[in-house]
Amino acid sequence: MTEPPQPPNQPPTPSGYGHLPGPPQSGYGYPAQGDNPYAQQSPYAQQPQTQPVGYGFPPPPPGPPGMHPGAPGTPPKKKAVVWIAASVAAALVVGTVAYVGFLRGDDKDPKQPVAQSSPPVDEKPSASPSVDKGDGSGDGGQEGDLNSGRKQGEDKVLWLKTSKIDGPGSGVEADGQWVVGDTVAKSVWKSVTGYGAADGKEKWTLTFPAEICAVTDQMTADGKTVVMYRDGESDTANCNQMRMIDLKAGKEGWSKEVPKEGMFDLFAGPNLSLTGDTVSVNRVTRASAFKVSTGDKLFATPSEGCQAGSYIGGNGKMIGIATCQDADHTVEVQDADPATGKTTWSFRLPKDFKVTSVYSVDPLVLDIGNEAKKERSIVVLGPDGKQRATVTGEGSFATGCGLSFSRSLQCSSGLVDSNTLYLPTAPAAGTGNEIVAFDLGTGKVKWRTPAGDKRTLTPVKAEGGQLVAYREAEYDQAGEVVTVPAAGGTPTPVLRHPSGAAAPVESSFHSPRIDYVDGRFFISASRLLAKGKDEKLLMVFGK
């Protein structure tokens, strides 16, 4: 094939992109299972996803309603999966039956305005009693005692919260989850509520004038974050209102409208990124940055040259993802000062390549792809913007983000710590997955750790010189939190979730948000049907 011209700081594009180790096998995903009485029906079952429990899993084989976990009676959603061909030495090469790096992968429908004709019955989650006895006699509310059937050596369900909302027909978003000190905060539709991490008691609730339409899981060092909400409840309402929240104190800070940056600045579905005291509001072709502490505007997309549509922050650093005004609309990655937006270097991608995921800003690890040619590469850049390595390895991996009108480039499918990238694979039918660790200095595989027993491992965080991962629950098997040494090895359980009554509930969370903080595991829904019935919202495990 003809190789595209390369920019000066880009290695030659390898030939043979898209060749697979073998044709994709049919029937990927979970084996069929029995009906799950705790599962809730997905309101967006036909949308592609990359962020449910089991990142990147292709859909299970067709079956009658109730035969797959998490959504009885609802067709499974398509999962984004990519194949890595080790035979291509200079790049992580990916090909699929249909290129998935540019599929929608933020696990959500396009943002829907809140219908005016459906007033809420209860705009904040209604609490279920705590479930903390662990002796089979606790009050688990409608779910019964979730600790019944707990075996020796297993830990507890500390508590479960449900939500009862009568909302718009499209359902409501519940994306935000933050753990700060002894509080876990959760966003649902028009409110953010803080609960005691140990006992689930409600500590505070903040109510917004309209639907919360953008959140980030990032916070400042003192527990502040920024959320966005719509400027009304009509079908034409814009997602352009911004508010700072002090998650520790449970108090609102400043509020302001994000100003437009030109005629074609659209606020249909912005996303947020936060680093230090800077938060960026990213939309289709424009982006602007503000001071978290005061709300003051810091900078915005330049009007000339290569124009950033996203500023991505983390670890005190920030980069801009810009589109250049040339005939090919070349994409350029730039460093950006979080306070001024000024750049000192740029890294230009090959023709027709786009950034699909940013796994880390410091060190800088980018997932890039060419949709038309079904090509993909994961590149590592040094602090000077020069390419340091390209990741290579065998396996089937999710792309992490995928394409959507409003999705963030920051993804949770991959995790970076110091000099290592951790990526989970997607298993073939009837097999478990594995986590693969890549050396960012060489781009080569350091080690592989299998989940075992047809299970699924998901990276959660890296701390204390080891990887923390979640071995996901199945309908008849509880989940657990495990650690893997930095050098690799067999996963060691540090939190064994209870089997019995709790396992079907834990396994039925659809596209959950997960955290492991101070020995507690938090799992919550990212979207609710909001049909006026109790739905599980937030479940917490601990000793």
Side-chain angles (χ1 to χ4, degrees):
M1 87 180 181
T2 303
E3 297 179 358
Q6 302 300 309
N9 58 356
Q10 181 76 13
T13 304
S15 299
Y17 271 28
H19 290 280
L20 307 181
Q25 303 177 32
S26 60
Y28 278 50
Y30 292 109
Q33 301 188 22
D35 288 342
N36 186 345
Y38 298 102
Q40 60 194 42
Q41 190 176 40
S42 166
Y44 41 100
Q46 298 297 335
Q47 298 297 325
Q49 67 178 15
T50 58
Q51 220 174 17
V53 176
Y55 295 126
F57 278 65
M67 295 300 289
H68 62 91
T74 304
K77 300 196 300 183
K78 297 179 180 179
K79 312 291 196 297
V81 177
V82 296
W83 289 75
I84 298 180
S87 59
V88 181
L92 180 145
V93 177
V94 178
T96 58
V97 175
Y99 183 74
V100 298
F102 294 86
L103 290 177
R104 178 181 178 83
D106 63 352
D107 233 12
K108 294 175 280 189
D109 289 331
K111 299 288 185 180
Q112 298 290 338
V114 178
Q116 297 188 67
S117 58
S118 301
V121 172
D122 183 359
E123 293 185 9
K124 67 180 182 180
S126 58
S128 61
S130 297
V131 187
D132 59 2
K133 294 183 180 181
D135 57 2
S137 61
D139 180 4
Q142 295 184 18
E143 309 294 350
D145 181 1
L146 293 176
N147 287 313
S148 64
R150 188 164 66 100
K151 300 175 182 177
Q152 185 176 3
E154 293 180 340
D155 299 301
K156 303 176 183 179
V157 176
L158 298 181
W159 49 273
L160 169 70
K161 291 294 177 183
T162 60
S163 177
K164 186 176 182 181
I165 296 176
D166 187 3
S170 59
V172 299
E173 301 287 355
D175 279 341
Q177 176 175 291
W178 306 268
V179 183
V180 186
D182 61 355
T183 300
V184 53
K186 181 68 183 169
S187 71
V188 179
W189 196 19
K190 300 179 184 180
S191 67
V192 178
T193 301
Y195 303 97
D199 56 17
K201 293 181 179 178
E202 184 175 324
K203 302 175 75 170
W204 50 264
T205 294
L206 303 177
T207 303
F208 290 73
E211 175 191 20
I212 295 171
C213 50
V215 299
T216 173
D217 59 2
Q218 297 164 307
M219 300 174 284
T220 62
D222 59 352
K224 295 181 175 64
T225 193
V226 174
V227 303
M228 296 190 70
Y229 59 98
R230 298 190 181 278
D231 61 3
E233 299 191 31
S234 71
D235 292 343
T236 58
N238 290 311
C239 182
N240 63 0
Q241 304 297 307
M242 192 167 42
R243 181 173 295 176
M244 185 266 278
I245 296 177
D246 185 333
L247 295 166
K248 281 188 175 180
K251 295 181 179 179
E252 300 173 353
W254 52 264
S255 297
K256 70 182 303 177
E257 181 173 319
V258 181
K260 279 193 170 186
E261 303 294 337
M263 289 182 59
F264 302 103
D265 192 359
L266 303 177
F267 285 88
N271 60 77
L272 301 169
S273 185
L274 189 152
T275 185
D277 195 30
T278 299
V279 62
S280 62
V281 181
N282 307 313
R283 40 257 197 217
V284 179
T285 59
R286 299 287 187 272
S288 45
F290 302 84
K291 206 166 186 178
V292 176
S293 56
T294 64
D296 294 338
K297 182 178 173 180
L298 296 172
F299 58 89
T301 299
S303 58
E304 298 179 353
C306 300
Q307 299 176 343
S310 293
Y311 288 104
I312 307 299
N315 289 347
K317 305 287 186 179
M318 180 169 278
I319 61 169
I321 310 296
T323 302
C324 300
Q325 305 306 304
D326 56 17
D328 296 323
H329 299 290
T330 308
V331 173
E332 189 173 272
V333 179
Q334 311 162 339
D335 71 324
D337 186 303
T340 66
K342 292 182 178 179
T343 65
T344 58
W345 58 257
S346 63
F347 177 85
R348 185 162 289 200
L349 273 58
K351 179 183 176 181
D352 298 327
F353 271 72
K354 300 183 185 301
V355 176
T356 58
S357 306
V358 178
Y359 293 121
S360 171
V361 176
D362 183 27
L364 183 51
V365 184
L366 306 171
D367 201 326
I368 65 175
N370 181 330
E371 177 182 11
K373 295 183 179 179
K374 300 176 176 61
E375 300 170 354
R376 178 189 179 192
S377 181
I378 294 179
V379 295
V380 185
L381 303 187
D384 56 359
K386 294 182 179 180
Q387 185 160 330
R388 174 182 165 194
T390 305
V391 172
T392 61
E394 292 182 344
S396 175
F397 297 83
T399 54
C401 288
L403 179 68
S404 80
F405 193 61
S406 62
R407 59 112 171 130
S408 170
L409 291 173
Q410 290 176 295
C411 308
S412 58
S413 64
L415 177 65
V416 173
D417 174 50
S418 183
N419 197 43
T420 306
L421 167 66
Y422 303 97
L423 286 177
T425 67
T431 66
N433 83 328
E434 59 185 1
I435 291 178
V436 183
F438 298 91
D439 188 308
L440 295 182
T442 64
K444 296 180 180 180
V445 173
K446 295 172 67 173
W447 49 260
R448 297 172 179 267
T449 293
D453 193 28
K454 303 180 182 179
R455 302 294 293 276
T456 303
L457 276 175
T458 299
V460 177
K461 65 196 304 184
E463 63 179 9
Q466 57 189 3
L467 173 70
V468 178
Y470 173 47
R471 183 177 276 130
E472 298 162 8
E474 302 287 342
Y475 178 80
D476 57 351
Q477 289 183 293
E480 59 183 359
V481 178
V482 302
T483 59
V484 182
T490 303
T492 301
V494 294
L495 194 65
R496 296 178 182 270
H497 301 174
S499 51
V505 183
E506 180 186 359
S507 66
S508 67
F509 274 90
H510 183 85
S511 305
R513 302 294 178 256
I514 58 175
D515 281 296
Y516 179 70
V517 181
D518 294 334
R520 301 186 187 99
F521 181 77
F522 304 82
I523 182 169
S524 69
S526 59
R527 189 174 175 90
L528 300 175
L529 288 171
K531 301 300 183 185
K533 298 179 181 180
D534 275 328
E535 299 176 83
K536 62 187 180 304
L537 176 67
L538 174 59
M539 194 175 191
V540 182
F541 301 82
K543 296 290 185 180

